[in-house]
Amino acid sequence: MDNRFDNTKSLGGNIWKFAGFDENAAELVAARYGLPPVVAQIMVSRGIDIGQSNDFLYPKLQNLMPDPACLKDMEKAAARIAAAVENGEQTAIIGDYDVDGATSSSLLKLFLQSVGCEVPVHIPEREEGYGPSKSAVDEFAAIGTKLLITTDCGTTAFEVLEYARDRGMDVIVLDHHEAETQLPDIYAVVNPKRLDESDEHPDLKYLAAVGVVFLTVVAVNRQLRNRGFYAVRSAPDLMKWLDLVALGTVCDVVPLLGLNRAFVRQGLKIMSLRQNCGIKALIDKASVTEAPSSYHLGYVLGPRINAGGRVGEASIGNRLLCAADDFEAAVLADKLDSFNALRKEIEAYVLLQAIETLEGTPQQYPIAFVYGQDWHQGVIGIVAGKLKERYNLPSFVMSVEADEVKGSARSISGLNIGALVMAAKEKGLLTKGGGHNMAAGFSLEESNLEAFRTFAGEYAEKYLGTETLTPVVEIDGTVSLNAATPEFADRLALLEPFGAGNPEPRLMLSNVRVLHSDIVGSGHIRCQLGSLSGGTLKAMAFRAADNEVGKALLNHRGEVFNLAGTLRKDNWQGRNQVQFIIEDAMRG
C-alpha cells in the first residue's frame, strides 16, 4: 500500500487512500492470466483470489447460475404460473415505478406473451405509493384475474396482498427487498432475502428483482417443457431478454458480482444487437453511437426510464420495453426524453433552493438538513445525493406537503442512515421510514421537523464527531504515463462491467506535466499530458474550470503533478486511443 499521501490534502481537498492487496496473490493472478500487475492488484484488493479469477474475468451463466429451485417457493410458484399458461387463466402483474420495476415487469410480460398469455401490468404512480394497492387489486378483480404476480415489490405488503387473496386470487411475489420474519399469507413468496433462505448461494442475495424474475422465467419454462407444452409450439429464447436483466441490475445499484456480473456482461452483448425496439429507440434518442456499457445503462438509459416515474407517467418505462414496433417505441422514447429534461429542470431548481437555504444559515450539526414547500418528491432523493457529494455530510431533503412531510436521505461512510431513520421511527418522530447504510426514505408530521433535525444531528454527531470531515478518495493502483496505452486499457476492461461492488478503477497517473491546457464546453479542462520519460496522453477534467484542480491545470507553469482519475478508451471516429479523466490532483 502506498502511504505517501496519507496526511496530505489534494488540490480537491481530499485525502488519497490506496487500496491494500496481497502481493503474492496478485503475482499469482497476473501470471496465470497474463495481466498487467496493476490489474491483478485491483482484483486481489477487491477480494478476487486465484480460485475466483476465471469466473470474474470470464463470467458465464452456465457456470454461475444455480438451479432456480434452490430458492424457497420457486417450484411452487413456477408450477402455478405454468398451470395458468396451460389453462389460459387471467393473470396480472403489479410492478414498481423505477428501472428495476420496469424491467422486471416487462421481462415477465414478454415471456408470458411469448407463450400465449396477454397480461395487463399496473405500475403505480409515485403519488399512489410504492407497491401494490387495493385500487390496483380491485382493477384486476374486475377483469376476472385468478393469478396476481408482483415484481420488485410485495414482500411486506401484508394487508393488500391478503386482500387480493380474499378476492379469489392466487398471489405470487417475485421480489428482492428486505423481508421480515413473517411473510404475507399468500400462494408463494420468491425472494432470496427471505430470512429462512439458506446461504448455499450467497450471490443470489445480491440479485435485483429482474434477476429474480429471470430465474423464475427459467423455472416456468422448464415446467412447461416437462408438461409437453412445447410439443406443438416453439419454446422462447430466454437469452434474448438478458438486455432487460442487465439494465435493471445496473440501475438498481446491486453489487456486480457473481451471477449479476454474468447477467450484465451477457446482457450488454444482447443489447448491442438492438433486438428490443424500446431499448433501441432509447439508445438512439440519447445519441449513443457506441456499443452500450454499464455506464450507458446507469447514467444515460436508466435516468430516462426513471424520469417517467419521477415527473411523468410511471407506466411508460414498462410500455417502452414491451413496445411491439419501432414507431410506438420512438414515440414513448421521445416522451421519456422530455420527462428527463423536465426532471433535470425541477432537480436544478430544488438543488439551488436547498443550497441557498443551507449556506444562508449556520448549521449546528454535521448534517445537511433542508426542506421546502411542495418540492417535487421525484427529485428529492437525487438532490440529497448531490448535497452529500457537495458537503461530504449525511443529507436529508424533505418536501412539505399538505398532509405530511416526505423525505429522502443519503449518507457517508461512518453513518448508517437506515439505522438512524429506524431509530427515529421507534422514537415516534417519523410516521414511516426504512432504508440501508447509505440511503433511506421516510415520512413525518410537519410539527416534528425540528425535533427530527435535532435527533438526526445528535445521532450523526455521535458517530461522526464534530470536526470537519475530510473526504477520502480511494485509489486502486498507480500507472505511469508510458503504461497508459490502448493495450493496457483493453486489459483493464476485463474488469468490466463496472458498478456497485465493482467500481471503475481509479488510478493515480504519477509524475506528469501539463504540456497544454484550455477550457472547452461548459467549464471542462482539456489537457495534453507528458512525462520526463517521453510520450503524451490526452486528458479531461469535467466541470473543473472554477475549482482548485482546474485552476492548477490551467496555470501549470511546468509543475509536476500526480493525477487521480480513470483511464478510458477513445474510439471516436475509429481511433484506437486512450484518455485520462482527471478527478483530483496533487502537486508532485
Side-chain angles (χ1 to χ4, degrees), residues 274 276-286 320 326 328-334:
R274 296 166 61 86
N276 182 298
C277 58
I279 294 178
K280 179 176 69 172
L282 204 60
I283 285 173
D284 291 344
K285 190 65 186 178
L320 173 78
D326 289 341
E328 179 190 9
V331 170
L332 293 172
D334 191 56

Side-chain angles (χ1 to χ4, degrees), residues 296-308:
H296 296 108
L297 271 56
Y299 294 98
V300 180
L301 306 184
R304 284 169 166 78
I305 294 174
N306 257 334

Side-chain angles (χ1 to χ4, degrees), residues 231-313:
V232 294
R233 64 189 302 157
S234 299
D237 174 16
L238 306 187
M239 298 300 107
K240 70 182 179 183
W241 293 311
L242 284 174
D243 50 2
L244 295 173
V245 181
L247 179 58
T249 297
V250 169
C251 291
D252 219 49
V253 202
V254 292
L256 297 188
L257 302 170
L259 179 56
N260 282 344
R261 189 169 169 75
F263 278 152
V264 177
R265 180 76 72 88
Q266 300 305 316
L268 286 169
K269 293 178 182 177
I270 299 297
M271 193 175 291
S272 68
L273 301 177
R274 296 166 61 86
Q275 295 174 330
N276 182 298
C277 58
I279 294 178
K280 179 176 69 172
L282 204 60
I283 285 173
D284 291 344
K285 190 65 186 178
S287 301
V288 177
T289 57
E290 58 195 296
S293 67
S294 55
Y295 168 82
H296 296 108
L297 271 56
Y299 294 98
V300 180
L301 306 184
R304 284 169 166 78
I305 294 174
N306 257 334
R310 291 188 185 280
V311 302
E313 300 171 50

